[in-house]
Amino acid sequence: MRVLIVEDELKMASLLRRGLVEEGHAADVAPSGEDALWMAQAHPYEAIVLDVMLPGLNGFETCRQLRNAGVWAPVLMLTARDGVDDRVAGLDVGADDYLTKPFSFAELLARLMRRPGQVLSRLQLLEHAWDFAYENRSNVIDVYVRYIREKVDRPFATESIETVRGVGYRLREDDAE
């Protein structure tokens, strides 16, 4: 999963990025709302972690402009502002969730959305698992899907990854088995 972290405090941004990368996600950092707007329109992100108190364009206005620009990636507001009015304002401008600082990193991970049943093409998987400098000219995605099936599916007699011929792969929904 590729995540955009919008955070102006360098230490917090690097801690979030490092934690997400250690969990196997790709993470980019935008230090301002203005940077987040162009980054989110230039690259598809599966989730956006957005601080509210940013210099210049604050998080509420950034979220509003992202939605107006057609960016529909799930937005998690992450902020020290914990009042009910703040949470309502964040949700009203289009945020999907709101988490206050200090927070548990485990809770942050639990709130990033998953999409069982959605078909992902080999190119989508490649773009979100490797950096943008990697050029695919092989069957590396197919090989890694086979590795995952060997480690996750076969020992438990399950089929969690489904091949959609000519399109890509998807995780089966719980009730699809």
Side-chain angles (χ1 to χ4, degrees):
M1 174 183 294
R2 182 167 291 279
V3 179
L4 176 60
I5 302 164
V6 188
E7 173 65 61
D8 64 317
E9 293 180 27
L10 184 58
K11 186 175 181 180
M12 176 61 79
S14 64
L15 286 171
L16 285 168
R17 184 180 184 285
R18 185 176 69 207
L20 288 168
V21 168
E22 286 175 1
E23 289 293 320
H25 304 290
D28 298 325
V29 175
S32 70
E34 292 84 359
D35 289 334
L37 287 172
W38 73 260
M39 289 174 74
Q41 292 177 64
H43 304 291
Y45 290 97
E46 279 76 31
I48 300 172
V49 177
L50 178 60
D51 186 17
V52 170
M53 295 186 288
L54 296 168
L57 203 59
N58 70 33
F60 296 132
E61 186 57 30
T62 300
C63 187
R64 181 186 338 275
Q65 289 189 27
L66 285 169
R67 297 308 192 217
N68 288 340
V71 175
W72 294 107
V75 173
L76 169 72
M77 294 279 194
L78 181 64
T79 182
R81 294 176 65 170
D82 62 354
V84 172
D85 292 342
D86 294 318
R87 291 191 299 262
V88 170
L91 297 171
D92 281 348
V93 297
D96 297 279
D97 204 350
Y98 198 100
L99 183 63
T100 58
K101 297 175 186 176
F103 63 94
S104 160
F105 191 73
E107 183 178 4
L108 174 77
L109 287 176
R111 291 175 180 246
L112 295 175
M113 304 221 173
R114 296 180 184 200
R115 298 181 186 171
Q118 178 183 1
V119 179
L120 298 174
S121 70
R122 287 169 178 80
L123 180 60
Q124 287 173 308
L125 291 169
L126 185 68
E127 286 177 345
H128 298 290
W130 282 269
D131 64 18
F132 289 113
Y134 182 81
E135 288 200 29
N136 180 30
R137 302 241 189 271
S138 68
N139 65 342
V140 69
I141 296 297
D142 301 318
V143 170
Y144 275 93
V145 167
R146 185 173 55 86
Y147 288 160
I148 292 169
R149 284 177 172 153
E150 289 293 325
K151 292 187 181 275
V152 175
D153 287 351
R154 288 195 175 75
F156 301 102
T158 185
E159 294 182 9
S160 58
I161 302 173
E162 180 180 13
T163 301
V164 179
R165 295 211 184 271
V167 181
Y169 299 98
R170 70 175 158 208
L171 289 176
R172 290 183 187 265
E173 296 188 50
D174 289 337
D175 60 351
E177 296 179 357

